[in-house]
Amino acid sequence: MAKLKLGTIPDDKPVKLTVELPAAIHRDLVAYGNALGRETGQGAVEPAKLIGPMLARFMATDRAFAKLRRVGSAAPRPQPASPGSEKTT
């Protein structure tokens, strides 16, 4: 059996989003969840629990996105004004 890109899905506090997916993608997510469950011994994984780790994996392996994040984090960030630093005229 081929090794899947995702491993065990961590159980952490999620942020709820509502999205619409094409039926074909949902079917593929169900199939992937079944395959992942067999591979990890967890049992079938719900499609909704796959989306976050899949997106995280996608973004982690996207070299252009990583470069943009590095460049963006190197830019100086504006500091919020401290109390009393406002000029009055």
Side-chain angles (χ1 to χ4, degrees):
M1 177 178 207
K3 177 125 174 85
L4 299 175
K5 289 190 177 213
L6 293 182
T8 304
I9 305 294
D11 187 22
D12 61 352
K13 185 170 172 86
V15 175
K16 187 165 184 104
L17 295 176
T18 302
V19 297
E20 290 186 23
L21 301 172
I25 291 177
H26 182 264
R27 285 190 297 273
D28 288 345
L29 285 170
V30 170
Y32 196 101
N34 290 332
L36 183 62
R38 283 191 305 275
E39 186 173 287
T40 62
Q42 289 180 299
V45 179
E46 296 176 43
K49 292 202 179 275
L50 294 172
I51 295 170
M54 285 180 161
L55 288 174
R57 174 81 175 175
F58 173 80
M59 289 185 290
T61 59
D62 186 319
R63 291 181 180 163
F65 180 65
K67 183 178 178 181
L68 286 172
R69 288 191 75 170
R70 279 193 309 274
V71 170
S73 66
R77 294 186 178 163
Q79 298 295 318
S82 60
S85 66
E86 297 144 4
K87 290 185 179 179
T88 55
T89 54

